[in-house]
Amino acid sequence: MPEMLFSIRWPDGQAEQCYSPSLVIKEFLEPGCSYPLDEFLSKSREALNIASQRVEARYGMPCSRALGQLARLESAGQRYLATPDARVTVESFTE
């Protein structure tokens, strides 16, 4: 399966590189776009769950790395829940 990395920038300016075991993330997020925090988390959740399911269909077990990445995004996103108009920017994809 083609893996990819996607770079994001949190509302406080902190950059983070994220992992997806599938290119499906490209169907949900676009480099150069800024998303409201809840929308970013929702799109990431859906994309990474689909990616994990694709790994499971192929190898017989879900992708723990994709699910770990999702947990990391969900946890980090909690820091910005009280920030008005918090946005996450998708900076780039690396295949």
Side-chain angles (χ1 to χ4, degrees):
M1 295 195 100
E3 302 177 307
M4 70 175 302
L5 299 174
F6 57 106
S7 297
I8 64 169
R9 190 159 302 275
W10 290 105
D12 64 359
Q14 181 178 331
E16 184 169 342
Q17 192 163 49
C18 305
Y19 170 81
S20 174
S22 165
L23 301 180
V24 72
I25 198 81
K26 288 179 162 186
E27 297 174 22
F28 291 86
L29 300 173
E30 185 176 334
C33 287
S34 175
Y35 299 91
L37 176 63
D38 60 338
E39 181 181 353
F40 170 78
L41 292 174
S42 176
K43 287 176 175 283
S44 297
R45 187 179 308 116
E46 189 172 357
L48 290 170
N49 277 316
I50 289 170
S52 180
Q53 290 165 2
R54 288 181 179 180
V55 170
E56 184 172 20
R58 185 165 186 178
Y59 298 106
M61 63 174 69
C63 180
S64 60
R65 194 166 168 200
L67 298 176
Q69 179 64 71
L70 176 56
R72 164 75 187 123
L73 292 173
E74 298 274 9
S75 175
Q78 296 297 310
R79 293 190 312 244
Y80 309 105
L81 290 178
T83 303
D85 302 319
R87 298 183 74 82
V88 179
T89 301
V90 177
E91 296 190 323
S92 64
F93 290 147
T94 305
E95 292 182 43

